[in-house]
Amino acid sequence: MDSTDGPGSRHHVENALLYNLEGELAANAGAVDIDRAAVRRAGNDLTLVTYGGSLPKTLQAAERLAVQNISAEVIDLRTLRRLT
């Protein structure tokens, strides 16, 4: 990570665990609104909140819970921000 702490500074963090992840990109894929979280799976019994490289594992956990008749919502934060 490199940055300056002045106005307009940018921080860039990459999750190296995602480099080898493969999958299909939707035909209508476009810009990602990182200002808002995204519901990746609807559910009624509990909510799992995740971001970055832990999203695939969290979706797998929701699938395993579904086998036990537990409906888990998965929310992808997409990004984390400093609180200052």
Side-chain angles (χ1 to χ4, degrees):
M1 178 187 312
D2 59 52
S3 70
T4 61
D5 287 329
S9 65
R10 299 285 184 249
H11 299 268
H12 181 80
V13 178
E14 292 182 345
N15 190 324
L17 296 175
L18 297 178
Y19 288 167
N20 293 321
L21 188 64
E22 293 183 14
E24 295 295 320
L25 183 62
N28 62 349
V32 175
D33 180 5
I34 63 172
D35 287 336
R36 291 180 171 66
V39 176
R40 299 296 184 188
R41 179 186 172 98
N44 299 317
D45 296 323
L46 64 102
T47 300
L48 304 172
V49 180
T50 187
Y51 87 103
S54 61
L55 176 61
K57 291 179 182 180
T58 305
L59 289 168
Q60 288 175 351
E63 289 292 329
R64 292 179 68 184
L65 289 168
V67 172
Q68 301 174 33
N69 293 319
I70 300 171
S71 175
E73 174 184 46
V74 176
I75 296 178
D76 177 7
L77 295 178
R78 297 186 185 180
T79 188
L80 298 176
R81 290 188 185 178
R82 296 189 305 180
L83 296 176
T84 59

